[in-house]
Amino acid sequence: VLVNLKEKMRREPLYAELRTRQQLGYMVKCSSVALYGKLGFVIELTSGKYGPQYLAQDIDSFLLQFGGTLMNMSKDMFFDHVTALARKKLEDPKGASHAVERHWDTVRQCNNYGERTYRWNPHFAEVEVLKTYVTPQILYNAYEKWLLPVSKSRRRVSVVVFGHGHQGQPLRDLQDRSSYITVVNGPELEVKSETAARARGCKMM
């Protein structure tokens, strides 16, 4: 619920700052993700004007700025966010695909004898946690630990995709010029297809 609440709180400020005010790119959005038992935040930014190092620095600047917003948020505004998230979690599924999405984690757990929970309606328990456990201080402490650039606990993976019209050798450029991000599968990567070579991307952390 902490992940969901932080995602909800920062979605509009992220768009307003990076897309509307700074105009870094034409697509800016954030979401949360759960993969292999790990929770994470995703920030997606598509830009035709700025490179990945510049964008990564601006994203971190926003995260620092938003940390101050969380720290100074009034109790009334915090309660409004909590109430809105609780209402969304209690909404009836809008269709079959939404119902499957809601129950899919439990379905997968049924194939793992060590993690079976049979919680087919976990959103009721999540709303109860929102009401009884989550406070502004708990939320900020989690944000400070997981997302602030100065946190030693933060882990970040960046995925960069270059378009077909990109000039030069993007992987080598990243490795040579970027001191802010580290290429972990760089120019030594062999690309067989000419199309793939023009659109090659990389993962960074």
Side-chain angles (χ1 to χ4, degrees):
V1 292
L2 290 173
V3 171
N4 295 151
L5 187 57
K6 280 183 282 188
E7 176 195 346
K8 181 190 178 304
M9 286 181 171
R10 74 177 184 172
R11 184 180 294 120
E12 290 184 8
L14 177 80
Y15 187 90
E17 176 65 21
L18 301 186
R19 172 67 178 87
T20 304
R21 195 182 75 80
Q22 297 190 38
Q23 298 185 356
L24 296 182
Y26 50 87
M27 191 278 287
V28 177
K29 62 181 181 179
C30 70
S31 59
S32 57
V33 63
L35 290 173
Y36 305 108
K38 303 295 183 182
L39 294 174
F41 292 97
V42 178
I43 294 179
E44 298 179 58
L45 206 160
T46 303
S47 176
K49 298 190 296 183
Y50 301 102
Q53 180 174 352
Y54 185 93
L55 298 176
Q57 289 173 320
D58 271 12
I59 288 171
D60 273 356
S61 295
F62 167 79
L63 293 174
L64 281 170
Q65 174 187 325
F66 188 70
T69 301
L70 279 182
M71 183 181 292
N72 298 313
M73 181 176 292
S74 69
K75 290 183 179 180
D76 287 343
M77 183 173 292
F78 174 81
F79 179 76
D80 288 344
H81 282 295
V82 169
T83 302
L85 180 59
R87 286 175 178 166
K88 183 174 180 60
K89 285 183 174 294
L90 293 176
E91 287 178 350
D92 291 332
K94 294 181 172 61
S97 61
H98 188 196
V100 169
E101 180 182 348
R102 173 174 286 183
H103 298 307
W104 193 245
D105 284 342
T106 304
V107 171
R108 289 192 301 179
Q109 286 172 352
C110 287
N111 295 322
N112 186 333
Y113 287 93
E115 297 183 1
R116 288 184 177 181
T117 62
Y118 300 107
R119 294 176 181 168
W120 298 105
N121 295 295
H123 50 290
F124 290 120
E126 291 171 358
V127 169
E128 192 62 28
V129 170
L130 275 173
K131 290 164 52 180
T132 59
Y133 172 74
V134 178
T135 65
Q137 188 61 52
I138 287 175
L139 180 68
Y140 178 77
N141 289 345
Y143 185 89
E144 183 180 41
K145 179 179 180 181
W146 298 340
L147 291 175
L148 283 186
V150 295
S151 171
K152 294 182 179 180
S153 301
R154 188 179 84 150
R155 298 293 182 269
R156 183 188 67 183
V157 174
S158 300
V159 179
V160 179
V161 178
F162 294 94
H164 288 253
H166 184 84
Q167 302 297 318
Q169 298 179 326
L171 293 181
R172 185 165 292 131
D173 291 344
L174 276 174
Q175 190 175 56
D176 293 342
R177 302 177 187 176
S178 179
S179 59
Y180 193 75
I181 48 183
T182 303
V183 179
V184 295
N185 60 335
E188 70 280 0
L189 193 66
E190 292 184 5
V191 182
K192 308 276 185 184
S193 146
E194 182 180 349
T195 301
R198 290 199 305 267
R200 63 173 68 175
C202 68
K203 288 183 180 179
M204 300 166 297
M205 78 181 3

